Amino acid sequence: MKLVLFDCDGTLVDSAGLIHEVMARTFEDFGLARVSLDATKGIIGLTLDIAIARLMHQSHVDDRALAMTAHYKKIYGGVRAEMDFREPLFPGIQELVATLSARDALILGAVTGKSRRGLDQICASHGYEKTFFVSRTADDCPSKPHPAMVTECCFEAGIDPKDTIVIGDAIYDMQMAKSAGAAAIGVAWGYAAVSELVEAGADHIAYAPNHILDWMETCHA
């Protein structure tokens, strides 16, 4: 048995537009300049309070960052409804997940910097309520790149990290995977540059979802 753990934002779904708009409005509401889309993409994957602190060029989470985190969460639902935005799956993801789900020797899971509520919304939007046997969110574990999300999923599933594959688009995903002792696949369709993923420890770069299947069959069957 092998465990396949998917990151969510930037890997399964294209959520940068929504995250950026909520983040930009949060900064504006606190009298700060709107953050750029590139800056927002650079923090996607981190736990929200740490992400906001990073965007303010702070090395720690202070009271203002915590207040902004609460505000972000407060306005998120309204912005999501206003934009009628449901974080679409990237092309080819639906087919990839369906193929992997049908394999008896694989267990699927999710590891995300989103809240539990945010992950549940994504799963409900795309019919994945029963797809992920294990999952860890920002509500459950320290922020990536801490390995806890992976190691806790491994423990719950009863699968060793060496038999686990983490699939993600951020350097934090690659660092988390390697720290946990798992294989790391970086995806080129997300929000980090391929060179950054390689430098962070990616064992393989997938340029399309079907490349993940090819790699699993030839290198990690």
Side-chain angles (χ1 to χ4, degrees), residues 7 91 106 148 166 186:
D7 167 56
L106 296 180
V166 176

Side-chain angles (χ1 to χ4, degrees), residues 107-160:
I107 293 175
L108 303 190
V111 285
T112 175
K114 300 182 82 66
S115 66
R116 174 62 59 180
R117 179 183 179 187
L119 178 60
D120 287 346
Q121 285 179 330
I122 293 293
C123 289
S125 294
H126 299 292
Y128 288 158
E129 295 95 331
K130 298 181 179 179
T131 299
F132 302 117
F133 177 75
V134 290
S135 62
R136 289 295 187 275
T137 72
D139 295 331
D140 309 313
C141 294
S143 179
K144 300 173 183 179
H146 193 285
M149 288 188 185
V150 175
T151 56
E152 289 189 13
C153 283
C154 289
F155 180 80
E156 184 177 340
I159 294 178
D160 195 278

Side-chain angles (χ1 to χ4, degrees), residues 4 18-19 25 30 44 47-48 63-64 72 75 100 103 105 110 118 120 138 149 168 173 180 194 209 214 216:
V4 179
L18 174 60
I19 293 172
R25 292 190 191 189
F30 276 75
I44 291 176
T47 300
L48 183 57
D63 289 343
R64 182 170 64 166
Y72 179 106
I75 68 172
L100 295 179
R103 297 187 177 183
D120 287 346
M149 288 188 185
D173 298 312
V194 168
D214 295 341
M216 290 178 65

